Amino acid sequence: QLQLQESGGGLVEAGGSLRLSCAASGGAFRTYRMAWFRRAPGLEREFVAAIGWLSTSPTVYTDSVRGRFTISRDNGRNTVYLQMNSLKADDTAVYYCAATKALNRVDLGSVAYWGQGTQVTVSS
C-alpha cells in the first residue's frame, strides 16, 4: 500500500521553471517504477515521464517534454521529482504522480497508485 502526495505546482510564465515533488509513504517505494502523468483541460490523461527503481535508472519521456523536463528520484527520501524547464502554455495541466510494478513499460493500465494531482498553469 503506497500513498503519493504531489506538491510544487503553481502559476508560472511561459519560459519559466517549476519542480514538482511526489512524496511516497506507506509502502516499499524502491520496489516501484515511478512516473508522471498529466491531464490538460479538455484532454485525456497522458504519460509524461518515468524512471526505474534506482536514482541511476534510465528515464523515459514523451516527445513533447523531452529536453525540457527531467524526472528523478531520491530513494533515501522516498521522493520522485519532475523538473520542468522552458515551460509552455501547452504544459498547463494537472500533474499526477504514479507508481507501477510493471517491469518495463509504464502506461495508464500499469499504474498501481496515483497521487491526487497538482495544478500547473503556464501563462503566455
Side-chain angles (χ1 to χ4, degrees):
Q1 186 71 30
L2 196 67
Q3 294 174 279
L4 305 175
Q5 180 67 55
E6 302 98 333
S7 62
L11 176 64
V12 64
E13 293 184 350
S17 298
L18 284 174
R19 188 180 72 162
L20 306 183
S21 298
C22 173
S25 61
F29 178 72
R30 298 186 182 199
T31 68
Y32 293 91
R33 295 184 70 196
M34 300 300 297
W36 290 93
F37 291 76
R38 67 185 181 185
R39 187 180 184 91
L43 301 178
E44 299 178 347
R45 190 175 300 194
E46 67 169 344
F47 171 80
V48 176
I51 188 170
W53 296 267
L54 305 176
S55 62
T56 55
S57 292
T59 55
V60 179
Y61 301 92
T62 193
D63 289 345
S64 62
V65 309
R66 188 176 298 108
R68 299 187 298 120
F69 291 11
T70 303
I71 187 172
S72 62
R73 67 189 295 162
D74 184 341
N75 287 348
R77 300 184 66 185
N78 289 349
T79 302
V80 62
Y81 304 94
L82 185 68
Q83 178 67 46
M84 304 184 294
N85 299 326
S86 301
L87 283 162
K88 305 174 180 179
D90 287 348
D91 296 319
T92 295
V94 177
Y95 283 72
Y96 299 90
C97 182
T100 180
K101 289 284 194 178
L103 296 178
N104 293 305
R105 74 174 187 175
V106 178
D107 55 29
L108 289 172
S110 71
V111 172
Y113 299 99
W114 292 98
Q116 85 290 347
T118 185
Q119 176 71 49
V120 172
T121 302
V122 183
S123 62
S124 300

